[in-house]
Amino acid sequence: MEIIRVKDAAQGGKKAFELIQEGMNNGAKVLGLATGSTPETLYAEMTASDVDFSQMTSVNLDEYVGLGGKDDQSYRHFMDLHLFDKKPFSETFVPNGKASDLVAECQRYDDVIAAHPVDIQILGIGQNGHIGFNEPGASFEGTTSVVDLTESTINANKRYFDKVEDVPTTAISMGIGSITRSKKIILMAFGEVKADAIKQMIDGPVTTHLPASVLQNHNDVIVIIDEAAASKL
């Protein structure tokens, strides 16, 4: 696990973009992408660049159950707004939060991941150590599933909604087993609120109580953190 300390989120986005460019130059074709505030600076770097992504494929981590691509708070909408509308990809995959059969949708998404093995996976980390929407207790071998969001995750995401009652309580998430099969993982974390999770992820035991700790077992992980997120290391 390589730790890269940066000044702030803007510098972190630049560094992550450099690593993606390096990976693409070495043949990477599939990017695993995340949503939320953490990767926004990375997507800003990608859209401002002259790099052509039209031969690349993206596979996103998750989507809220009950939200479709036209919903302003959906992760498909987030990705379109921040990246895909500005930088077209060959193919883009996000789980269908409005699927009528969620079990079948999870299997479909596992098939997508199997057909498009991820070369570089971008991750954030929740304050409780979740990756994707894999909350504490999730199996390290897990594949795509419908997950119940914890109160801390719902509270962390309520800033994107008019009121906390509007925040979905379930999501479709790529499983930890699928995430860790990515060839390279780049985890980004900024701000003091992430310091405890980063400390436990790097220095704590590998345990399902802190899902991100499983990354200690992966052979190619780069962690990009600002000084605030690194403050407890």
Side-chain angles (χ1 to χ4, degrees), residues 35-52:
T35 50
S37 58
T38 298
E40 283 186 12
T41 55
L42 165 60
Y43 299 152
E45 291 292 324
M46 292 171 72
T47 58
S49 76
D50 59 2
V51 175
D52 180 10

Side-chain angles (χ1 to χ4, degrees), residues 102-116:
L102 294 175
V103 172
E105 174 60 14
C106 290
Q107 181 57 60
R108 182 194 73 84
Y109 211 67
D110 281 337
D111 292 342
V112 166
I113 297 165
H116 304 88

